[in-house]
């Protein structure tokens, strides 16, 4: 076994966008150092990244990679902590964890493998599937409006919001590095094709464009693409804001208090 690679057989489908995420993750971890990084994952195809990258890691329950990452970072603020999650994992089961981690400005990076369906369980619709999406749980077409992932993170107060595409590995690497370097909660939504159940490769390739700089009005830019086939898809960094992190705020409050002091307090 070499440093970063595991000997585990890779069972992702050929052409899956997860391969690009795995490749840039390995490259990034090599730069930061394996003993200075920890990764978490939930349940779904994305989560197999834990089996393929040789680094401190934690396989969580469905929808829980973000809360695990928050805990790891709080326990050891020296680590770079990345939470890998699918759209079903983070926007269905785990949406409250995503919202609260963004609200706290926990200094972690959340990587959303956005394939817009529950792929591991063979195609059910998720919160970000398009309207009309035909799946095993919506055989006559999804009747719901898709949820804008970036809008959710933005309304919760995320201090770094970005989007990339697994078909453009250079852009993905560059955006992921910026997200990890950011001090505070950072989110990177990676649009990825799922050739088995929802092949979106050509659609993203033909309809996305790269933003040259961070927009002055992130709210407007974030709404430019509605996840439903209308509008061009902006890629890059939408928002970058400096704010004290959750860990910094907790460290300031972290002075030991005796039981007597608590009993005497007026709280
Ligand atoms: Fe990738 Fe879809 Fe295959 Fe899962 S089912 S490994 S997401 S292509």
């Amino acid at each position: 076994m070499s440093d970063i690679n595991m000997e585990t057989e890779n069972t992702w489908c050929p052409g899956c966008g997860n391969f690009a995420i795995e490749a840039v993750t390995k490259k990034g971890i090599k730069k930061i150092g394996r003993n200075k990084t920890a990764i978490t994952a939930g349940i779904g195809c994305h989560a197999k990244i834990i089996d393929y990258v040789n680094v401190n890691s934690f396989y969580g329950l469905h929808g829980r990679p973000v809360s695990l990452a928050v805990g790891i970072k709080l326990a050891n603020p020296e680590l770079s902590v990345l939470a890998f999650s699918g759209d079903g994992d983070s926007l269905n089961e785990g949406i409250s964890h995503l919202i609260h981690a963004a609200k706290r400005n926990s200094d972690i990076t959340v990587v959303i493998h956005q394939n817009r369906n529950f792929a591991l369980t063979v195609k059910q619709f998720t919160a970000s599937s398009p309207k009309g999406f035909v799946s095993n749980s919506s055989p006559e077409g999804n009747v719901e409006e898709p949820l804008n992932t970036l809008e959710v993170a933005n309304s919760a107060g995320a201090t770094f919001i970005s989007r990339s595409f697994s078909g453009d590995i250079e852009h993905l690497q560059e955006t992921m590095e910026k997200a990890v370097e950011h001090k505070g909660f950072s989110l990177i939504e990676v649009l990825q094709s799922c050739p088995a159940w929802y092949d979106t490769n050509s659609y993203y390739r033909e309809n996305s464009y790269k933003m040259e700089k961070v927009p002055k009005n992130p709210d407007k830019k974030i709404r430019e693409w509605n996840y439903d086939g209308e509008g061009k898809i902006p890629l890059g960094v939408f928002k970058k804001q400096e704010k004290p992190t959750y860990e910094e705020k907790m460290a300031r409050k972290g002075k030991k208090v005796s039981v007597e002091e608590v009993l005497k307090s007026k709280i």
Side-chain angles (χ1 to χ4, degrees), residues 11-18 45 48 115 117 119-120 192-197:
T11 56
W12 284 328
C13 310
C16 177
N18 286 329
C45 291
K48 295 182 190 175
N115 58 33
N117 78 110
L120 187 70
Q192 65 163 103
S193 180
C194 166
W197 311 119

Side-chain angles (χ1 to χ4, degrees), residues 8-27:
T8 326
E9 184 196 352
N10 192 311
T11 56
W12 284 328
C13 310
C16 177
N18 286 329
F19 287 103
I21 301 176
E22 180 198 350
V24 301
T25 301
K26 285 181 171 171
K27 212 169 161 186

